Amino acid sequence: MATKRSKVKETIKAWLVNGEVKPHQKIKSEHELADLFQVSRHTIRQAIGDLVYEGWLYREQGRGTFYNGFPGKRSNKIIGIITTYISDYIFPSIIRGAESYLNTKGYGILLASTNNRPEDEKECLQMMLDKQVDGLILEPTKTALYNENLDYYLTLEQKRIPYIMINAYYPNLQPPSVTMDDELGGYLAGRHLIELGHRRIAGLFKTDDLQGIKRMKGFFRAHREAGLPVQPGMVISYGTEEKEEKPRMAFARLMRERDRPSAVFCYNDEVALSILDVIRELALKVPQDISVVGYDDSLLAEASEVKLTTIKHPKMQMGEMAAKLLIEAVEKGDRGHAIESFVFQPELVVRSSTGKWGGTK
């Protein structure tokens, strides 16, 4: 349970981040704050002391306490890394790539995970600001939706803390980023299946992030270039909170229809693996009855009996590139937006989960 002291601290921080108090503007007096929060002046004094220690505020003898909008930069030789997940899928490889480069430059890392939830992202950003990291590598959450944490990114820029986003970025911020061309990846997957003779191709896309939106766009482009319409009902979208069940259930319904798909392109290998389970439950075979394409070329792509055709994700190279670009900005003293973005080109990796279609669908 949050203490009175911590509630006071978090509220004052929110004032600073939201712009209610401008850089070097005096905050309310201890007496005024005690009345406002209905707590003792001792509690206020402790909370203010914490914020001074953390670099948010500074005191001037006889004048009061002020917002330290542009604090003197002290190098901790620490880089923050925030990803949606840490211990599974492709994320350990991305983190290893960043860490290996940072270690060569004498930097340590501070790790945090958002679980792809904006409210968790807010807490992670607050922690990184509190720890006064020298720079930040982060994977943003739900980038196809409005970002609720805009003020925290503006605070990073105001405090001259360089940051770079990986895998995706918030369009309204246009921040520096290291991504892969997901539209091209979706196109390569769709074209591969069309060239194999498939005409009824399902697509499963997570649409609360830009990666899913762009992969879907590429999938559509491959169909249009081939003069082949995407069949109604064949595109299934879902959000982060639905990822465990909706793709499986929706795909199972499609496969029970008379005009079922002969191929499916999945948002990532994780989804593709769950789709292979559904196919086995329906007593169907891959690729004889249906071809499957994943995305990311994760360890999961070769973990199943059927080896997945998939789109290769750079993983370690992405982490290393993000760290390299960030450290250049940190050591030059540049603002985050001075960092140049970098886009990796995807590659199709063909394995045994896709084959030529000889039917009439």
Side-chain angles (χ1 to χ4, degrees), residues 247-294:
R248 289 173 54 93
M249 294 173 64
F251 177 74
R253 283 196 298 271
L254 275 181
M255 293 304 292
R256 292 188 179 99
E257 293 180 2
R258 183 173 63 86
D259 292 326
R260 71 191 187 202
S262 66
V264 58
F265 170 41
C266 301
Y267 168 77
N268 65 14
D269 295 342
E270 202 170 29
V271 173
L273 211 63
S274 71
I275 292 307
L276 290 177
D277 289 339
V278 173
I279 293 168
R280 277 192 288 269
E281 290 167 7
L282 295 172
L284 298 172
K285 293 183 179 179
V286 176
Q288 294 91 330
D289 297 311
I290 184 164
S291 288
V292 180
V293 177

mmCIF file of all heavy atoms in Angstrom, residues 247-294:
data_model
loop_
_atom_site.group_PDB
_atom_site.id
_atom_site.type_symbol
_atom_site.label_atom_id
_atom_site.label_comp_id
_atom_site.label_asym_id
_atom_site.label_seq_id
_atom_site.Cartn_x
_atom_site.Cartn_y
_atom_site.Cartn_z
ATOM 1 N N PRO A 247 -6.765 -15.916 -31.794
ATOM 2 C CA PRO A 247 -6.255 -16.460 -33.058
ATOM 3 C C PRO A 247 -6.561 -17.950 -33.222
ATOM 4 O O PRO A 247 -6.971 -18.388 -34.300
ATOM 5 C CB PRO A 247 -4.748 -16.200 -32.969
ATOM 6 C CG PRO A 247 -4.612 -15.075 -32.010
ATOM 7 C CD PRO A 247 -5.702 -15.270 -31.008
ATOM 8 N N ARG A 248 -6.376 -18.718 -32.150
ATOM 9 C CA ARG A 248 -6.642 -20.159 -32.206
ATOM 10 C C ARG A 248 -8.108 -20.448 -32.517
ATOM 11 O O ARG A 248 -8.436 -21.251 -33.395
ATOM 12 C CB ARG A 248 -6.272 -20.822 -30.877
ATOM 13 C CG ARG A 248 -4.800 -20.915 -30.559
ATOM 14 C CD ARG A 248 -4.589 -21.444 -29.146
ATOM 15 N NE ARG A 248 -5.289 -22.701 -28.937
ATOM 16 C CZ ARG A 248 -4.757 -23.903 -29.119
ATOM 17 N NH1 ARG A 248 -3.493 -24.006 -29.518
ATOM 18 N NH2 ARG A 248 -5.450 -24.992 -28.902
ATOM 19 N N MET A 249 -8.999 -19.790 -31.765
ATOM 20 C CA MET A 249 -10.420 -20.064 -31.908
ATOM 21 C C MET A 249 -10.943 -19.629 -33.270
ATOM 22 O O MET A 249 -11.710 -20.346 -33.920
ATOM 23 C CB MET A 249 -11.191 -19.371 -30.786
ATOM 24 C CG MET A 249 -10.884 -19.930 -29.400
ATOM 25 S SD MET A 249 -11.646 -18.978 -28.067
ATOM 26 C CE MET A 249 -13.384 -19.239 -28.419
ATOM 27 N N ALA A 250 -10.515 -18.433 -33.718
ATOM 28 C CA ALA A 250 -10.980 -17.929 -35.007
ATOM 29 C C ALA A 250 -10.455 -18.793 -36.154
ATOM 30 O O ALA A 250 -11.181 -19.082 -37.119
ATOM 31 C CB ALA A 250 -10.547 -16.480 -35.180
ATOM 32 N N PHE A 251 -9.201 -19.218 -36.045
ATOM 33 C CA PHE A 251 -8.630 -20.073 -37.085
ATOM 34 C C PHE A 251 -9.328 -21.435 -37.125
ATOM 35 O O PHE A 251 -9.607 -21.967 -38.209
ATOM 36 C CB PHE A 251 -7.133 -20.254 -36.848
ATOM 37 C CG PHE A 251 -6.475 -21.183 -37.831
ATOM 38 C CD1 PHE A 251 -6.230 -20.770 -39.133
ATOM 39 C CD2 PHE A 251 -6.115 -22.459 -37.455
ATOM 40 C CE1 PHE A 251 -5.631 -21.627 -40.049
ATOM 41 C CE2 PHE A 251 -5.520 -23.328 -38.369
ATOM 42 C CZ PHE A 251 -5.276 -22.905 -39.662
ATOM 43 N N ALA A 252 -9.615 -22.009 -35.952
ATOM 44 C CA ALA A 252 -10.303 -23.297 -35.894
ATOM 45 C C ALA A 252 -11.670 -23.214 -36.578
ATOM 46 O O ALA A 252 -12.080 -24.146 -37.293
ATOM 47 C CB ALA A 252 -10.464 -23.742 -34.445
ATOM 48 N N ARG A 253 -12.370 -22.082 -36.390
ATOM 49 C CA ARG A 253 -13.670 -21.906 -37.058
ATOM 50 C C ARG A 253 -13.499 -21.863 -38.573
ATOM 51 O O ARG A 253 -14.268 -22.471 -39.317
ATOM 52 C CB ARG A 253 -14.345 -20.624 -36.573
ATOM 53 C CG ARG A 253 -14.982 -20.731 -35.199
ATOM 54 C CD ARG A 253 -15.956 -19.597 -34.940
ATOM 55 N NE ARG A 253 -15.296 -18.289 -34.959
ATOM 56 C CZ ARG A 253 -14.760 -17.718 -33.898
ATOM 57 N NH1 ARG A 253 -14.780 -18.336 -32.729
ATOM 58 N NH2 ARG A 253 -14.190 -16.518 -33.996
ATOM 59 N N LEU A 254 -12.470 -21.137 -39.033
ATOM 60 C CA LEU A 254 -12.208 -21.062 -40.474
ATOM 61 C C LEU A 254 -11.949 -22.454 -41.071
ATOM 62 O O LEU A 254 -12.421 -22.777 -42.166
ATOM 63 C CB LEU A 254 -10.994 -20.182 -40.752
ATOM 64 C CG LEU A 254 -11.173 -18.671 -40.865
ATOM 65 C CD1 LEU A 254 -9.834 -18.010 -41.170
ATOM 66 C CD2 LEU A 254 -12.190 -18.309 -41.934
ATOM 67 N N MET A 255 -11.204 -23.263 -40.340
ATOM 68 C CA MET A 255 -10.808 -24.568 -40.852
ATOM 69 C C MET A 255 -11.958 -25.570 -40.859
ATOM 70 O O MET A 255 -11.854 -26.638 -41.478
ATOM 71 C CB MET A 255 -9.626 -25.122 -40.042
ATOM 72 C CG MET A 255 -8.343 -24.333 -40.213
ATOM 73 S SD MET A 255 -7.811 -24.190 -41.942
ATOM 74 C CE MET A 255 -7.366 -25.881 -42.307
ATOM 75 N N ARG A 256 -13.041 -25.252 -40.185
ATOM 76 C CA ARG A 256 -14.214 -26.139 -40.192
ATOM 77 C C ARG A 256 -15.206 -25.764 -41.292
ATOM 78 O O ARG A 256 -16.195 -26.463 -41.501
ATOM 79 C CB ARG A 256 -14.898 -26.112 -38.825
ATOM 80 C CG ARG A 256 -14.059 -26.755 -37.709
ATOM 81 C CD ARG A 256 -14.833 -26.882 -36.420
ATOM 82 N NE ARG A 256 -14.034 -27.503 -35.376
ATOM 83 C CZ ARG A 256 -13.403 -26.846 -34.415
ATOM 84 N NH1 ARG A 256 -13.495 -25.522 -34.359
ATOM 85 N NH2 ARG A 256 -12.703 -27.484 -33.509
ATOM 86 N N GLU A 257 -14.930 -24.652 -41.991
ATOM 87 C CA GLU A 257 -15.815 -24.239 -43.075
ATOM 88 C C GLU A 257 -15.522 -25.041 -44.344
ATOM 89 O O GLU A 257 -14.433 -25.588 -44.529
ATOM 90 C CB GLU A 257 -15.634 -22.743 -43.353
ATOM 91 C CG GLU A 257 -16.100 -21.850 -42.200
ATOM 92 C CD GLU A 257 -15.919 -20.378 -42.508
ATOM 93 O OE1 GLU A 257 -15.466 -20.059 -43.637
ATOM 94 O OE2 GLU A 257 -16.227 -19.560 -41.622
ATOM 95 N N ARG A 258 -16.512 -25.085 -45.238
ATOM 96 C CA ARG A 258 -16.347 -25.861 -46.477
ATOM 97 C C ARG A 258 -15.232 -25.262 -47.334
ATOM 98 O O ARG A 258 -14.392 -25.979 -47.869
ATOM 99 C CB ARG A 258 -17.667 -25.880 -47.247
ATOM 100 C CG ARG A 258 -17.614 -26.729 -48.509
ATOM 101 C CD ARG A 258 -18.994 -26.842 -49.131
ATOM 102 N NE ARG A 258 -19.478 -25.530 -49.546
ATOM 103 C CZ ARG A 258 -19.186 -24.978 -50.731
ATOM 104 N NH1 ARG A 258 -18.393 -25.615 -51.585
ATOM 105 N NH2 ARG A 258 -19.667 -23.788 -51.055
ATOM 106 N N ASP A 259 -15.227 -23.941 -47.472
ATOM 107 C CA ASP A 259 -14.181 -23.267 -48.258
ATOM 108 C C ASP A 259 -13.080 -22.757 -47.328
ATOM 109 O O ASP A 259 -12.860 -21.565 -47.184
ATOM 110 C CB ASP A 259 -14.784 -22.106 -49.052
ATOM 111 C CG ASP A 259 -15.722 -22.573 -50.141
ATOM 112 O OD1 ASP A 259 -15.464 -23.648 -50.708
ATOM 113 O OD2 ASP A 259 -16.707 -21.870 -50.412
ATOM 114 N N ARG A 260 -12.424 -23.694 -46.694
ATOM 115 C CA ARG A 260 -11.394 -23.320 -45.720
ATOM 116 C C ARG A 260 -10.133 -22.839 -46.435
ATOM 117 O O ARG A 260 -9.922 -23.141 -47.621
ATOM 118 C CB ARG A 260 -11.077 -24.506 -44.815
ATOM 119 C CG ARG A 260 -10.328 -25.622 -45.513
ATOM 120 C CD ARG A 260 -10.274 -26.864 -44.660
ATOM 121 N NE ARG A 260 -9.407 -27.869 -45.278
ATOM 122 C CZ ARG A 260 -9.492 -29.169 -45.017
ATOM 123 N NH1 ARG A 260 -10.408 -29.615 -44.157
ATOM 124 N NH2 ARG A 260 -8.672 -30.023 -45.595
ATOM 125 N N PRO A 261 -9.272 -22.117 -45.735
ATOM 126 C CA PRO A 261 -8.020 -21.650 -46.346
ATOM 127 C C PRO A 261 -7.055 -22.799 -46.604
ATOM 128 O O PRO A 261 -7.089 -23.824 -45.916
ATOM 129 C CB PRO A 261 -7.457 -20.679 -45.304
ATOM 130 C CG PRO A 261 -8.070 -21.108 -44.016
ATOM 131 C CD PRO A 261 -9.436 -21.622 -44.357
ATOM 132 N N SER A 262 -6.201 -22.614 -47.606
ATOM 133 C CA SER A 262 -5.150 -23.605 -47.867
ATOM 134 C C SER A 262 -3.809 -23.140 -47.316
ATOM 135 O O SER A 262 -2.824 -23.874 -47.376
ATOM 136 C CB SER A 262 -5.029 -23.863 -49.370
ATOM 137 O OG SER A 262 -4.571 -22.691 -50.036
ATOM 138 N N ALA A 263 -3.772 -21.898 -46.795
ATOM 139 C CA ALA A 263 -2.533 -21.356 -46.223
ATOM 140 C C ALA A 263 -2.893 -20.280 -45.201
ATOM 141 O O ALA A 263 -3.974 -19.690 -45.261
ATOM 142 C CB ALA A 263 -1.647 -20.767 -47.310
ATOM 143 N N VAL A 264 -1.964 -20.033 -44.277
ATOM 144 C CA VAL A 264 -2.176 -18.996 -43.269
ATOM 145 C C VAL A 264 -0.855 -18.293 -42.969
ATOM 146 O O VAL A 264 0.193 -18.929 -42.847
ATOM 147 C CB VAL A 264 -2.793 -19.581 -41.971
ATOM 148 C CG1 VAL A 264 -1.916 -20.685 -41.377
ATOM 149 C CG2 VAL A 264 -3.058 -18.479 -40.946
ATOM 150 N N PHE A 265 -0.930 -16.973 -42.915
ATOM 151 C CA PHE A 265 0.225 -16.159 -42.517
ATOM 152 C C PHE A 265 -0.054 -15.645 -41.107
ATOM 153 O O PHE A 265 -1.068 -14.993 -40.865
ATOM 154 C CB PHE A 265 0.406 -14.998 -43.491
ATOM 155 C CG PHE A 265 1.415 -13.965 -43.045
ATOM 156 C CD1 PHE A 265 2.621 -14.334 -42.454
ATOM 157 C CD2 PHE A 265 1.165 -12.608 -43.236
ATOM 158 C CE1 PHE A 265 3.547 -13.385 -42.045
ATOM 159 C CE2 PHE A 265 2.086 -11.647 -42.836
ATOM 160 C CZ PHE A 265 3.280 -12.038 -42.250
ATOM 161 N N CYS A 266 0.860 -15.917 -40.179
ATOM 162 C CA CYS A 266 0.669 -15.579 -38.759
ATOM 163 C C CYS A 266 1.512 -14.371 -38.364
ATOM 164 O O CYS A 266 2.644 -14.209 -38.847
ATOM 165 C CB CYS A 266 1.046 -16.766 -37.873
ATOM 166 S SG CYS A 266 0.085 -18.257 -38.222
ATOM 167 N N TYR A 267 0.983 -13.570 -37.472
ATOM 168 C CA TYR A 267 1.666 -12.365 -36.982
ATOM 169 C C TYR A 267 3.077 -12.662 -36.504
ATOM 170 O O TYR A 267 4.007 -11.897 -36.755
ATOM 171 C CB TYR A 267 0.843 -11.756 -35.853
ATOM 172 C CG TYR A 267 1.546 -10.684 -35.067
ATOM 173 C CD1 TYR A 267 1.679 -9.399 -35.576
ATOM 174 C CD2 TYR A 267 2.082 -10.960 -33.806
ATOM 175 C CE1 TYR A 267 2.328 -8.414 -34.847
ATOM 176 C CE2 TYR A 267 2.734 -9.981 -33.080
ATOM 177 C CZ TYR A 267 2.857 -8.709 -33.602
ATOM 178 O OH TYR A 267 3.506 -7.733 -32.886
ATOM 179 N N ASN A 268 3.273 -13.774 -35.803
ATOM 180 C CA ASN A 268 4.620 -14.160 -35.390
ATOM 181 C C ASN A 268 4.705 -15.667 -35.195
ATOM 182 O O ASN A 268 3.703 -16.392 -35.337
ATOM 183 C CB ASN A 268 5.077 -13.391 -34.133
ATOM 184 C CG ASN A 268 4.253 -13.705 -32.897
ATOM 185 O OD1 ASN A 268 3.484 -14.671 -32.857
ATOM 186 N ND2 ASN A 268 4.399 -12.895 -31.864
ATOM 187 N N ASP A 269 5.903 -16.154 -34.877
ATOM 188 C CA ASP A 269 6.123 -17.597 -34.717
ATOM 189 C C ASP A 269 5.351 -18.157 -33.528
ATOM 190 O O ASP A 269 4.941 -19.323 -33.538
ATOM 191 C CB ASP A 269 7.616 -17.882 -34.521
ATOM 192 C CG ASP A 269 8.458 -17.531 -35.732
ATOM 193 O OD1 ASP A 269 7.883 -17.389 -36.826
ATOM 194 O OD2 ASP A 269 9.686 -17.386 -35.576
ATOM 195 N N GLU A 270 5.168 -17.348 -32.513
ATOM 196 C CA GLU A 270 4.432 -17.774 -31.328
ATOM 197 C C GLU A 270 3.003 -18.158 -31.713
ATOM 198 O O GLU A 270 2.492 -19.206 -31.314
ATOM 199 C CB GLU A 270 4.430 -16.637 -30.304
ATOM 200 C CG GLU A 270 4.178 -17.053 -28.891
ATOM 201 C CD GLU A 270 4.445 -15.914 -27.919
ATOM 202 O OE1 GLU A 270 4.296 -14.735 -28.301
ATOM 203 O OE2 GLU A 270 4.792 -16.216 -26.767
ATOM 204 N N VAL A 271 2.367 -17.297 -32.501
ATOM 205 C CA VAL A 271 1.014 -17.595 -32.975
ATOM 206 C C VAL A 271 1.045 -18.795 -33.923
ATOM 207 O O VAL A 271 0.187 -19.680 -33.851
ATOM 208 C CB VAL A 271 0.406 -16.368 -33.677
ATOM 209 C CG1 VAL A 271 -0.935 -16.714 -34.323
ATOM 210 C CG2 VAL A 271 0.220 -15.225 -32.690
ATOM 211 N N ALA A 272 2.039 -18.832 -34.800
ATOM 212 C CA ALA A 272 2.130 -19.935 -35.761
ATOM 213 C C ALA A 272 2.226 -21.281 -35.052
ATOM 214 O O ALA A 272 1.619 -22.274 -35.486
ATOM 215 C CB ALA A 272 3.341 -19.732 -36.672
ATOM 216 N N LEU A 273 2.974 -21.340 -33.953
ATOM 217 C CA LEU A 273 3.114 -22.593 -33.213
ATOM 218 C C LEU A 273 1.771 -23.035 -32.630
ATOM 219 O O LEU A 273 1.434 -24.227 -32.646
ATOM 220 C CB LEU A 273 4.144 -22.426 -32.091
ATOM 221 C CG LEU A 273 4.949 -23.680 -31.729
ATOM 222 C CD1 LEU A 273 5.792 -24.133 -32.898
ATOM 223 C CD2 LEU A 273 5.833 -23.419 -30.524
ATOM 224 N N SER A 274 0.994 -22.070 -32.129
ATOM 225 C CA SER A 274 -0.329 -22.422 -31.590
ATOM 226 C C SER A 274 -1.265 -22.868 -32.718
ATOM 227 O O SER A 274 -2.121 -23.739 -32.519
ATOM 228 C CB SER A 274 -0.934 -21.237 -30.834
ATOM 229 O OG SER A 274 -1.331 -20.204 -31.705
ATOM 230 N N ILE A 275 -1.090 -22.315 -33.912
ATOM 231 C CA ILE A 275 -1.895 -22.714 -35.074
ATOM 232 C C ILE A 275 -1.540 -24.138 -35.504
ATOM 233 O O ILE A 275 -2.413 -24.924 -35.900
ATOM 234 C CB ILE A 275 -1.691 -21.713 -36.232
ATOM 235 C CG1 ILE A 275 -2.290 -20.353 -35.865
ATOM 236 C CG2 ILE A 275 -2.282 -22.249 -37.529
ATOM 237 C CD1 ILE A 275 -3.729 -20.366 -35.412
ATOM 238 N N LEU A 276 -0.266 -24.506 -35.412
ATOM 239 C CA LEU A 276 0.134 -25.890 -35.708
ATOM 240 C C LEU A 276 -0.562 -26.865 -34.772
ATOM 241 O O LEU A 276 -0.957 -27.966 -35.184
ATOM 242 C CB LEU A 276 1.654 -26.039 -35.595
ATOM 243 C CG LEU A 276 2.508 -25.362 -36.666
ATOM 244 C CD1 LEU A 276 3.993 -25.560 -36.364
ATOM 245 C CD2 LEU A 276 2.179 -25.884 -38.058
ATOM 246 N N ASP A 277 -0.739 -26.456 -33.507
ATOM 247 C CA ASP A 277 -1.464 -27.306 -32.555
ATOM 248 C C ASP A 277 -2.913 -27.502 -32.986
ATOM 249 O O ASP A 277 -3.457 -28.614 -32.905
ATOM 250 C CB ASP A 277 -1.437 -26.684 -31.154
ATOM 251 C CG ASP A 277 -0.065 -26.748 -30.506
ATOM 252 O OD1 ASP A 277 0.748 -27.596 -30.935
ATOM 253 O OD2 ASP A 277 0.197 -25.948 -29.582
ATOM 254 N N VAL A 278 -3.560 -26.439 -33.440
ATOM 255 C CA VAL A 278 -4.953 -26.527 -33.901
ATOM 256 C C VAL A 278 -5.041 -27.464 -35.105
ATOM 257 O O VAL A 278 -5.958 -28.295 -35.198
ATOM 258 C CB VAL A 278 -5.490 -25.128 -34.270
ATOM 259 C CG1 VAL A 278 -6.875 -25.237 -34.921
ATOM 260 C CG2 VAL A 278 -5.551 -24.233 -33.045
ATOM 261 N N ILE A 279 -4.088 -27.328 -36.019
ATOM 262 C CA ILE A 279 -4.092 -28.169 -37.224
ATOM 263 C C ILE A 279 -3.971 -29.641 -36.847
ATOM 264 O O ILE A 279 -4.663 -30.509 -37.408
ATOM 265 C CB ILE A 279 -2.958 -27.730 -38.174
ATOM 266 C CG1 ILE A 279 -3.263 -26.331 -38.724
ATOM 267 C CG2 ILE A 279 -2.785 -28.729 -39.322
ATOM 268 C CD1 ILE A 279 -2.084 -25.679 -39.432
ATOM 269 N N ARG A 280 -3.124 -29.948 -35.870
ATOM 270 C CA ARG A 280 -2.977 -31.336 -35.410
ATOM 271 C C ARG A 280 -4.271 -31.838 -34.775
ATOM 272 O O ARG A 280 -4.682 -32.982 -34.995
ATOM 273 C CB ARG A 280 -1.820 -31.443 -34.412
ATOM 274 C CG ARG A 280 -0.453 -31.567 -35.061
ATOM 275 C CD ARG A 280 0.615 -31.961 -34.061
ATOM 276 N NE ARG A 280 0.920 -30.856 -33.165
ATOM 277 C CZ ARG A 280 1.866 -29.949 -33.385
ATOM 278 N NH1 ARG A 280 2.590 -30.023 -34.493
ATOM 279 N NH2 ARG A 280 2.092 -28.988 -32.523
ATOM 280 N N GLU A 281 -4.912 -30.962 -33.980
ATOM 281 C CA GLU A 281 -6.175 -31.344 -33.341
ATOM 282 C C GLU A 281 -7.260 -31.652 -34.361
ATOM 283 O O GLU A 281 -8.151 -32.471 -34.116
ATOM 284 C CB GLU A 281 -6.645 -30.220 -32.409
ATOM 285 C CG GLU A 281 -5.780 -30.050 -31.162
ATOM 286 C CD GLU A 281 -6.059 -28.744 -30.431
ATOM 287 O OE1 GLU A 281 -7.010 -28.032 -30.825
ATOM 288 O OE2 GLU A 281 -5.319 -28.431 -29.475
ATOM 289 N N LEU A 282 -7.191 -31.012 -35.518
ATOM 290 C CA LEU A 282 -8.176 -31.242 -36.585
ATOM 291 C C LEU A 282 -7.773 -32.401 -37.494
ATOM 292 O O LEU A 282 -8.433 -32.651 -38.512
ATOM 293 C CB LEU A 282 -8.336 -29.966 -37.412
ATOM 294 C CG LEU A 282 -8.932 -28.751 -36.683
ATOM 295 C CD1 LEU A 282 -8.857 -27.506 -37.558
ATOM 296 C CD2 LEU A 282 -10.382 -29.035 -36.277
ATOM 297 N N ALA A 283 -6.698 -33.099 -37.144
ATOM 298 C CA ALA A 283 -6.203 -34.256 -37.903
ATOM 299 C C ALA A 283 -5.828 -33.877 -39.333
ATOM 300 O O ALA A 283 -6.012 -34.666 -40.273
ATOM 301 C CB ALA A 283 -7.230 -35.391 -37.890
ATOM 302 N N LEU A 284 -5.300 -32.674 -39.510
ATOM 303 C CA LEU A 284 -4.825 -32.221 -40.804
ATOM 304 C C LEU A 284 -3.299 -32.217 -40.815
ATOM 305 O O LEU A 284 -2.662 -32.277 -39.748
ATOM 306 C CB LEU A 284 -5.361 -30.821 -41.104
ATOM 307 C CG LEU A 284 -6.885 -30.700 -41.204
ATOM 308 C CD1 LEU A 284 -7.302 -29.243 -41.318
ATOM 309 C CD2 LEU A 284 -7.418 -31.509 -42.372
ATOM 310 N N LYS A 285 -2.730 -32.137 -42.016
ATOM 311 C CA LYS A 285 -1.283 -32.194 -42.145
ATOM 312 C C LYS A 285 -0.731 -30.914 -42.771
ATOM 313 O O LYS A 285 -1.374 -30.296 -43.611
ATOM 314 C CB LYS A 285 -0.878 -33.399 -43.009
ATOM 315 C CG LYS A 285 -1.173 -34.744 -42.356
ATOM 316 C CD LYS A 285 -0.686 -35.885 -43.225
ATOM 317 C CE LYS A 285 -0.953 -37.232 -42.551
ATOM 318 N NZ LYS A 285 -0.489 -38.370 -43.414
ATOM 319 N N VAL A 286 0.501 -30.558 -42.333
ATOM 320 C CA VAL A 286 1.229 -29.408 -42.863
ATOM 321 C C VAL A 286 2.431 -29.951 -43.642
ATOM 322 O O VAL A 286 3.188 -30.782 -43.124
ATOM 323 C CB VAL A 286 1.718 -28.498 -41.713
ATOM 324 C CG1 VAL A 286 2.549 -27.347 -42.243
ATOM 325 C CG2 VAL A 286 0.533 -27.972 -40.902
ATOM 326 N N PRO A 287 2.645 -29.540 -44.896
ATOM 327 C CA PRO A 287 1.874 -28.538 -45.647
ATOM 328 C C PRO A 287 0.846 -29.135 -46.601
ATOM 329 O O PRO A 287 0.282 -28.415 -47.415
ATOM 330 C CB PRO A 287 2.976 -27.834 -46.439
ATOM 331 C CG PRO A 287 3.918 -28.948 -46.793
ATOM 332 C CD PRO A 287 3.911 -29.875 -45.599
ATOM 333 N N GLN A 288 0.600 -30.467 -46.515
ATOM 334 C CA GLN A 288 -0.282 -31.113 -47.486
ATOM 335 C C GLN A 288 -1.690 -30.507 -47.485
ATOM 336 O O GLN A 288 -2.272 -30.255 -48.546
ATOM 337 C CB GLN A 288 -0.366 -32.620 -47.196
ATOM 338 C CG GLN A 288 0.942 -33.368 -47.413
ATOM 339 C CD GLN A 288 1.787 -33.432 -46.161
ATOM 340 O OE1 GLN A 288 1.735 -32.540 -45.324
ATOM 341 N NE2 GLN A 288 2.569 -34.504 -46.045
ATOM 342 N N ASP A 289 -2.241 -30.274 -46.284
ATOM 343 C CA ASP A 289 -3.593 -29.715 -46.182
ATOM 344 C C ASP A 289 -3.583 -28.202 -46.030
ATOM 345 O O ASP A 289 -4.524 -27.533 -46.476
ATOM 346 C CB ASP A 289 -4.330 -30.335 -44.984
ATOM 347 C CG ASP A 289 -4.527 -31.831 -45.150
ATOM 348 O OD1 ASP A 289 -4.998 -32.234 -46.233
ATOM 349 O OD2 ASP A 289 -4.200 -32.590 -44.222
ATOM 350 N N ILE A 290 -2.563 -27.682 -45.402
ATOM 351 C CA ILE A 290 -2.463 -26.231 -45.218
ATOM 352 C C ILE A 290 -1.012 -25.832 -44.972
ATOM 353 O O ILE A 290 -0.279 -26.528 -44.255
ATOM 354 C CB ILE A 290 -3.360 -25.742 -44.054
ATOM 355 C CG1 ILE A 290 -3.314 -24.206 -43.963
ATOM 356 C CG2 ILE A 290 -3.004 -26.416 -42.733
ATOM 357 C CD1 ILE A 290 -4.425 -23.604 -43.127
ATOM 358 N N SER A 291 -0.599 -24.737 -45.607
ATOM 359 C CA SER A 291 0.743 -24.188 -45.393
ATOM 360 C C SER A 291 0.684 -23.102 -44.327
ATOM 361 O O SER A 291 -0.317 -22.388 -44.200
ATOM 362 C CB SER A 291 1.295 -23.600 -46.695
ATOM 363 O OG SER A 291 1.630 -24.615 -47.613
ATOM 364 N N VAL A 292 1.775 -22.969 -43.573
ATOM 365 C CA VAL A 292 1.826 -22.012 -42.462
ATOM 366 C C VAL A 292 3.111 -21.190 -42.557
ATOM 367 O O VAL A 292 4.201 -21.755 -42.716
ATOM 368 C CB VAL A 292 1.781 -22.732 -41.094
ATOM 369 C CG1 VAL A 292 1.826 -21.716 -39.956
ATOM 370 C CG2 VAL A 292 0.545 -23.613 -40.983
ATOM 371 N N VAL A 293 2.966 -19.860 -42.446
ATOM 372 C CA VAL A 293 4.131 -18.964 -42.396
ATOM 373 C C VAL A 293 4.093 -18.178 -41.094
ATOM 374 O O VAL A 293 3.045 -17.638 -40.719
ATOM 375 C CB VAL A 293 4.143 -17.976 -43.590
ATOM 376 C CG1 VAL A 293 5.332 -17.011 -43.465
ATOM 377 C CG2 VAL A 293 4.216 -18.722 -44.912
ATOM 378 N N GLY A 294 5.222 -18.126 -40.394
ATOM 379 C CA GLY A 294 5.342 -17.340 -39.170
ATOM 380 C C GLY A 294 6.096 -16.047 -39.427
ATOM 381 O O GLY A 294 6.225 -15.597 -40.573
#
